[in-house]
Amino acid sequence: MVKIIMGLKGSGKTKRLVDLVRETVAEDNGDVVVIENNKNLTYDIPYQARLIDTNECGIKSYDLFKGFILGLHSGNYDITHFYVDNFLKIVKDTSMEGLEEFLVWLEEFSNKESIEFIMSISADPEAASEKIKSYII
């Protein structure tokens, strides 16, 4: 399952994402991975969740992010949840067409591997396509 928390800057997306991480860690037995483009969440998420800073990995496109996800999954099949903060800042691509293509791939991967993905995206939800809006929670 793929879900998006979308809103403009300052709308509380990261706080909502952190709350969901805390709920998941408390209720779920699988491994939880949190991905961000800096180390701002270090003290906000529970220690049981694995925090990864993508600035150290050089991810700058959708394809590199796909490879990153596949590599993490192949190294740990117990991952049940991925949380991604500020997704568009990680991939450095704000095109809605690229995002839409990526979400289609991610949904297929998510369903195949039974992994839940929740991402925060800083963008106007009203400007999103209908396909992207179908992922917004």
Side-chain angles (χ1 to χ4, degrees):
M1 177 170 30
V2 177
K3 298 176 186 174
I4 296 174
I5 302 168
M6 184 180 273
L8 298 173
K9 184 175 179 168
S11 62
K13 297 176 301 299
T14 298
K15 181 185 180 325
R16 188 169 176 199
L17 187 93
V18 168
D19 290 342
L20 290 170
V21 170
R22 288 181 181 149
E23 288 174 24
T24 302
V25 166
E27 297 171 0
D28 197 73
N29 291 330
D31 291 349
V32 176
V33 175
V34 180
I35 301 170
E36 65 174 336
N37 66 339
N38 49 43
K39 293 185 179 182
N40 291 342
L41 300 179
T42 301
Y43 301 107
D44 295 328
I45 63 167
Y47 71 90
Q48 296 92 338
R50 171 81 167 123
L51 181 63
I52 300 173
D53 176 9
T54 59
N55 277 335
E56 299 172 2
C57 305
I59 297 171
K60 293 183 175 131
S61 71
Y62 290 111
D63 286 338
L64 288 173
F65 194 81
K66 286 178 190 178
F68 184 68
I69 293 294
L70 292 170
L72 287 171
H73 176 65
S74 66
N76 182 355
Y77 291 112
D78 294 330
I79 297 173
T80 58
H81 292 79
F82 278 96
Y83 290 89
V84 184
D85 191 35
N86 281 322
F87 177 65
L88 295 180
K89 286 185 180 179
I90 293 171
V91 296
K92 314 256 188 291
D93 183 349
T94 58
S95 74
M96 290 296 132
E97 297 81 22
L99 177 60
E100 205 170 296
E101 288 178 28
F102 177 78
L103 290 173
V104 168
W105 173 84
L106 190 62
E107 184 175 30
E108 290 173 6
F109 177 73
S110 171
N111 291 336
K112 179 182 168 202
E113 301 297 336
S114 299
I115 300 172
E116 188 170 331
F117 289 85
I118 299 178
M119 305 185 306
S120 72
I121 295 177
S122 289
D124 184 3
E126 298 302 318
S129 69
E130 291 303 314
K131 180 69 176 168
I132 293 173
K133 285 181 181 179
S134 69
Y135 294 105
I136 296 175
I137 55 172

